[in-house]
């Protein structure tokens, strides 16, 4: 008995049958049986049997194979039906296809340029937009993504939002069932992965066991956590990432035997997440369960948790936002959270950092413009190819080819070209996405929760857009040329066989557009270049040459007491200083690292009653030699000395200038309300705080061990109790860098080396984002410029070909070849000038959008504008020169002989 | 007109041979041919609709098969279906090809490709 098709199956069946019939319609007479009702019935039987064996997939499989076979049959039948040249019973389409193919092979160079142009346009756009789609537009790839929100701390007084709640607050949020269906939580944690070869750090996260279920994410091997895991006794299990499983473990099939040591404890691996799973960021490689209701006893409390909640059905984001802020303080208080702090929420994945956002938009704008140039160029090339073939077409028309056939040939040629371009474009896209991912710095890609890959929807869209663009832009000029050639063949007007007046105008305006758009790109790139150079060469406020930064983690075993940590750090400093080639060692990190902060209103001893507004000032704990080692100048007073009175502080120039504008900050006293008085003993130079945006900030320096009244970052529950960063200045930094770990381990092998790097490299890393935007913009602008110049060259050489007779007559009547050259050059430069002016006008508002990415450069930077104009002018002159030279070499005698 | 010599069709391609062989027993419709060939060859040869009907057209033109009035058992008959049957020439051709293959097989046996001759 026949199984009746289900609704989706019958839809699929109908679709496939449509395809089958469509292909069948292309069959030549010799294979006409394939479109008979009988063949169709057989086709249906085959599909039906596929369905009966394997359901819809079986149906699809059989159906597609049938179609493929039919396609092949039709093709071979057509090939057999293709007559030999001596046998002129060609079907019109095949004949025209052959004509088109021949024509393409004839104008190989311009065809290849058109294909390459299209391929670049499609490929680059697909790559950049795939990244953009994953980071900005696509919803996060989790179940009920539109209802997933993250909860933050919100301080209404300071108007700041920050993450990290104590674990007991999470159950309190779970009780707000009118707002949330479900509340889980996670906290990022750096784990120390211990192997026989030594310890390394791995980005991980503690998560409540239900988190994976909330996300709707399953393991690709094994399982995720089950309820009840993450309590005392059940917390020694872990889920690992695909990368970890593959690269560190060598993809073992049997998970049950894998025990990993993280931060001093051993964990049983229970599952591996799929490659595409990214949560909380793309860097996480291991997840450890943590039950907030019954946390494992004995361990330190986890403080840095972020709740992830699913809004209850029917609750809008606005309602939830208002309610969360209203209830936040009460909920936090019930769970032992800090007083005066309420909560805020944000949709999961909606939080893209501003600079990343703008950078990606600017890049997408740039590739969009590039695509515009591509379109104009394809159009231009199509026209020039058609024009160069006008004679052939005219001959064909004269020999009896119908206008329809001529147009068909032109269309087919364009279709062939577009298809080749699209296929090549897919290749460029595949390479492009790798390049883009390799080029984009981690700050721009780590945060997105979507897997970044070449997106098939984006790619198909771009291929479609490319095909459409090639046809839409390529057909009118081709048809224009075809029509004019037919007219000319009929009218016998030889002089206008190289293009009508319309075609000429059309081409000229295309060249103008290309020049204009490439000017926009160039201005963008030039502004970015100026900004980047300013960033890369800015004065850091300290001497970065030969500086090494080494960050270590102190284990909680043995370093519970702060005094012990300080002693160990002092000892390590002495050991490092003894290494050959070391000029100075200090501890306390780079000025741009934020370790501690002090917050509140400042009160001054000599101005009683005066309070500053609420401020937040970074505080560094440093030894006396810190400033000398880093090369930060001491502008007034002195550095710390042993026996300094309690409350001695050094401030930077910026803070001194802000609160003690008289310039005599040394000796003055200030305090935060309720805290002891602080006496300024020295003022030091301001260093750069943020390398990417530039500028300094107010900072304070306390002697080691004296910053007890500041806010410190809370350490997540881990085996590391504290971090110390050593700064070493060396004459031979590369060699010294290799010896530093040994110097640390000579003190204690249990100290974990976190990160060792040359400070100059760190600073280069910090400006990776502007560098990438700058680099990519330059590449796009360069490609755009080349394309525009190809277009301009095409226009001018065509013009010369077109006006050959006229130019010849001019030469014959006594015009010098100089005059003729000037004529052509002038035409090219006129077009360039119009395009350039339009481009500069358009660039003005567009480049303003890049304002937030720029450092010390005005978007309307005259130098960048002038530079772009100069580059375009120079290249235009170059590409106009060759046609002009040709024009100058026209021999009137030869022309007359023709 | 003198009928063509059956041996002039040899050797047949495997597909043609199996289609003829499938029709040797009883007339079949297109889908029946597909199923029968699949059965005969243990799924080694899977004919697809496009290929089959181009093939059938060629066999019809060569007069090796003909459209048949004879029908299968009434219960699995679909009267809209077209059935194909072997012509006399078709029978002769398939017989000639089978003989040829038999000789090939004997040669193979003699050269011990198939192990010792029994």
């Amino acid at each position: 008995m026949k199984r009746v098709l289900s609704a989706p199956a019958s839809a699929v069946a109908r679709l496939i049958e449509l395809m089958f019939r469509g292909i069948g319609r292309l069959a030549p007479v010799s294979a006409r049986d394939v479109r008979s009702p009988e063949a169709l019935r057989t086709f249906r039987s085959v599909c039906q049997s596929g369905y009966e064996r394997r359901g819809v997939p079986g149906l699809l499989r059989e159906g597609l194979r049938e179609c493929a076979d039919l396609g092949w049959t039709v093709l071979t039948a057509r090939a057999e039906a293709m007559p030999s040249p001596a046998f002129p019973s060609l079907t019109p389409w095949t004949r025209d296809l052959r004509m088109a193919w021949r024509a393409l092979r004839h104008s190989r160079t311009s065809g290849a340029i058109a294909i390459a142009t299209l391929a670049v346009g499609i490929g680059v756009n697909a790559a950049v937009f795939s990244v953009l789609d994953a980071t900005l537009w696509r919803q996060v790839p989790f179940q009920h993504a539109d209802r997933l929100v993250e909860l933050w701390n919100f301080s209404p007084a300071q108007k700041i939002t920050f993450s990290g709640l104590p674990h007991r607050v999470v159950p309190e949020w779970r009780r707000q069932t009118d707002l949330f269906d479900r509340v889980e939580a996670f906290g990022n944690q750096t784990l120390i992965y211990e192997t026989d070869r030594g310890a390394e750090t791995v980005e991980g996260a503690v998560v409540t066991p239900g988190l994976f279920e909330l996300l709707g994410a399953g393991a690709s091997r094994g399982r995720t956590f089950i309820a009840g895991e993450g309590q005392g006794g059940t917390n020694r299990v872990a889920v690992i990432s695909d990368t970890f499983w593959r690269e560190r473990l060598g993809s073992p099939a049997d998970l049950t035997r894998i025990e990993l040591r993280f931060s001093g404890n051993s964990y049983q691996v229970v599952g591996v997440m799929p490659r595409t799973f990214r949560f909380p960021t793309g860097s996480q490689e291991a997840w450890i369960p943590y039950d907030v209701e019954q946390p494992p006893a004995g361990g330190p409390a986890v403080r840095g948790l972020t709740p992830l909640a699913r809004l209850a059905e029917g609750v809008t984001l606005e309602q939830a936002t208002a309610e969360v802020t209203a209830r936040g303080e009460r909920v936090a208080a019930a769970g032992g959270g800090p007083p005066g702090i309420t909560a805020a929420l944000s949709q999961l994945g909606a939080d893209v950092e501003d600079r990343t956002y703008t950078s990606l938009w600017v890049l997408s704008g740039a590739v969009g413009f590039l695509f515009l140039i591509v379109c104009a160029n394809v159009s231009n090339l199509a026209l020039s190819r058609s024009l160069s073939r006008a004679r052939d077409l005219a001959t064909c028309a004269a020999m009896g080819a119908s206008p329809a056939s001529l147009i068909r040939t032109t269309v087919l040629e364009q279709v062939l070209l577009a298809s080749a371009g699209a296929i090549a474009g897919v290749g460029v896209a595949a390479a492009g996405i790798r390049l883009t991912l390799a080029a984009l710095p981690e700050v721009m890609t780590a945060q997105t929760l979507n897997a970044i890959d070449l997106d098939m929807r984006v790619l198909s869209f771009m291929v479609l857009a490319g095909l459409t663009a090639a046809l839409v832009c390529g057909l009118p000029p081709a048809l224009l040329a075809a029509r004019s050639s037919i007219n000319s063949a009929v009218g016998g007007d030889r002089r206008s066989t190289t293009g009508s007046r319309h075609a000429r105008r059309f081409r000229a305006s295309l060249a103008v557009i290309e020049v204009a758009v490439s000017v926009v790109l160039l201005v963008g790139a030039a502004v970015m270049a100026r900004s980047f150079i300013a960033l890369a060469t800015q004065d850091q406020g300290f001497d970065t040459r030969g500086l090494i930064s080494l960050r270590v983690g102190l284990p909680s075993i043995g370093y519970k007491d702060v005094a012990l940590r300080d002693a160990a750090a002092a000892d390590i400093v002495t050991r490092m200083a003894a290494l050959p080639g070391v000029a100075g060692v200090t501890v306390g990190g780079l000025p741009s690292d934020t370790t501690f902060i002090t917050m509140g209103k400042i009160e001054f001893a000599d101005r009683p009653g005066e309070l500053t507004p609420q401020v937040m000032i970074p505080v560094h704990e440093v030894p006396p030699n810190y400033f000398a080692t880093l090369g930060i100048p001491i502008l007034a007073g002195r550095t710390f000395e042993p026996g300094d009175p309690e409350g001695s502080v050094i401030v930077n120039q910026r803070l001194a200038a802000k609160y003690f504008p008289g310039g005599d900050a040394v000796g003055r006293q200030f305090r935060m309300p309720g805290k002891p008085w602080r006496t300024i003993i020295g003022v030091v130079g301001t260093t750069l705080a943020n390398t990417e945006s530039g500028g300094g900030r107010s900072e304070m320096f306390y002697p080691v061990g004296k910053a007890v009244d500041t806010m410190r970052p809370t350490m997540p529950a881990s085996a590391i109790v504290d971090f110390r960063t050593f700064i070493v200045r060396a004459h031979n930094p590369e060699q010294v860098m290799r010896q530093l770990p040994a110097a640390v381990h000579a003190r204690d092998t249990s100290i974990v080396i976190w990160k060792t790097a040359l400070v100059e490299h760190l600073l280069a890393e910090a400006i990776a984002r502007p560098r990438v935007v700058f680099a990519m913009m330059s590449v796009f602008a360069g490609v755009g410029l080349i394309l525009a110049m190809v277009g301009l060259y095409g226009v001018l050489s065509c013009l010369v070909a077109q006006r050959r007779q006229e130019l010849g007559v001019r030469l014959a009547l006594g015009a010098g070849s100089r005059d003729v050259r000037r004529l052509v050059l002038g035409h090219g430069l006129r077009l360039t000038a119009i395009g350039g002016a339009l481009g500069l006008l358009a660039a003005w508002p567009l480049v303003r959008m890049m304002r937030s990415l720029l450092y010390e450069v005005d978007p309307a930077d005259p130098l960048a504008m002038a530079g772009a104009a100069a580059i375009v002018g120079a290249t235009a002159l170059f590409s106009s020169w060759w046609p002009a030279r040709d024009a100058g070499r026209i021999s009137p005698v030869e022309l007359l002989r023709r | 007109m003198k009928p063509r010599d059956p041996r002039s069709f040899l050797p047949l391609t495997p597909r043609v041979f199996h289609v003829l062989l499938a029709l040797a027993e009883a007339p079949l419709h297109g889908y029946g041919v597909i199923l029968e060939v699949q059965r005969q060859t243990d799924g080694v040869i899977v004919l697809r609709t496009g290929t089959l009907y181009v093939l059938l057209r060629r066999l019809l033109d060569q007069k090796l098969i003909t459209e048949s009035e004879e029908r299968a058992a009434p219960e699995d008959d679909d009267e809209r279906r077209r059935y194909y049957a072997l012509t006399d020439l078709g029978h002769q051709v398939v017989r000639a090809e089978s003989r040829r293959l038999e000789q090939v097989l004997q040669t193979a046996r003699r050269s011990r490709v198939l192990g010792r001759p029994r």
Side-chain angles (χ1 to χ4, degrees), chain A residues 513-803:
Chain A
I513 292 174
E514 284 186 57
V515 170
V517 176
S518 71
V519 164
V520 173
L521 281 178
L522 271 175
V523 170
V527 170
M528 277 314 291
R530 289 256 293 152
S531 163
F532 180 73
I533 291 167
L535 269 180
T537 56
Q538 64 191 330
D539 184 9
Q540 294 287 333
F542 65 99
D543 185 3
T544 58
R545 286 168 300 168
L547 273 195
I548 307 166
S549 141
L550 173 85
R551 192 165 162 81
V552 302
L554 298 169
S556 41
I557 304 159
Y559 295 94
K560 277 269 184 280
D561 188 27
V562 180
L564 282 176
R565 300 176 212 160
D566 291 337
D571 181 44
I572 292 171
V573 167
T574 325
R575 286 169 193 273
M576 287 177 170
L579 292 174
V582 171
V585 185
T586 189
V587 63
L590 290 177
S592 54
D593 298 342
T594 298
T595 40
F596 312 139
I597 51 168
T598 183
M599 228 158 68
K601 299 173 181 179
I602 306 176
E603 181 182 354
F604 302 95
D606 52 354
R607 281 168 277 171
E610 186 189 320
L611 277 180
T612 66
Q614 184 86 20
V615 293
M616 192 169 81
I617 301 174
V619 174
H620 305 273
E621 260 192 2
V622 298
N625 71 345
Y626 181 80
F627 306 105
T629 310
L630 268 79
I632 300 173
I634 295 175
L635 304 173
R638 57 172 176 83
T639 180
F640 300 117
E641 277 168 13
D644 272 335
E646 200 61 28
S648 299
V649 64
I650 293 174
V651 300
N652 71 356
Q653 166 69 27
R654 193 175 176 103
L655 188 144
K658 188 166 178 190
Y659 299 114
F660 308 100
D664 50 346
V666 177
R668 308 284 272 276
Q669 288 192 309
F670 65 91
R671 68 175 178 186
M672 304 292 179
K675 306 260 174 77
W677 288 102
R678 295 277 174 188
T679 311
I680 298 172
I681 63 160
V683 176
V684 296
T686 309
T687 56
L688 270 188
N690 182 328
T691 315
E692 190 171 336
S693 59
R697 58 182 179 187
S698 298
E699 287 177 1
M700 295 196 282
F701 300 87
Y702 289 7
V704 171
K706 301 296 182 186
V708 281
D709 58 346
T710 55
M711 292 171 79
R712 291 153 179 266
T714 48
M715 289 295 140
S718 91
I720 298 294
V721 69
D722 203 355
F723 292 99
R724 285 288 188 275
T725 306
F726 298 92
I727 304 287
V728 180
R729 185 179 296 284
H731 303 300
N732 45 348
E734 273 86 6
Q735 285 152 357
V736 169
M737 208 155 86
R738 282 196 289 277
Q739 297 164 6
L740 291 178
V744 174
H745 286 146
R747 159 78 191 188
D748 182 353
T749 47
S750 71
I751 297 175
V752 179
I753 309 288
W754 213 259
K755 187 174 184 181
T756 316
L758 283 179
V759 170
E760 282 175 336
H761 288 181
L762 289 178
L763 295 174
E765 238 169 73
I767 51 175
R769 180 164 38 200
R771 179 171 38 231
V772 162
V773 176
F774 152 67
M776 288 177 86
M777 283 290 283
S778 313
V779 171
F780 297 157
V783 174
L785 186 67
I786 292 171
L787 292 181
M789 290 313 127
V790 169
L792 191 65
Y793 173 82
V795 171
L796 291 182
S797 47
C798 188
L799 178 98
V800 171
Q802 220 170 301
R803 290 170 65 179

Side-chain angles (χ1 to χ4, degrees), chain A residues 38 41-42 62 66 69, chain B residues 48-49 51 53 80-81:
Chain A
E38 164 65 15
R41 275 195 285 274
T42 302
E62 290 298 324
E66 282 285 301
D69 170 76
Chain B
R48 296 266 162 207
T49 311
T51 316
Y53 281 90
R80 290 169 308 174
R81 286 244 134 126

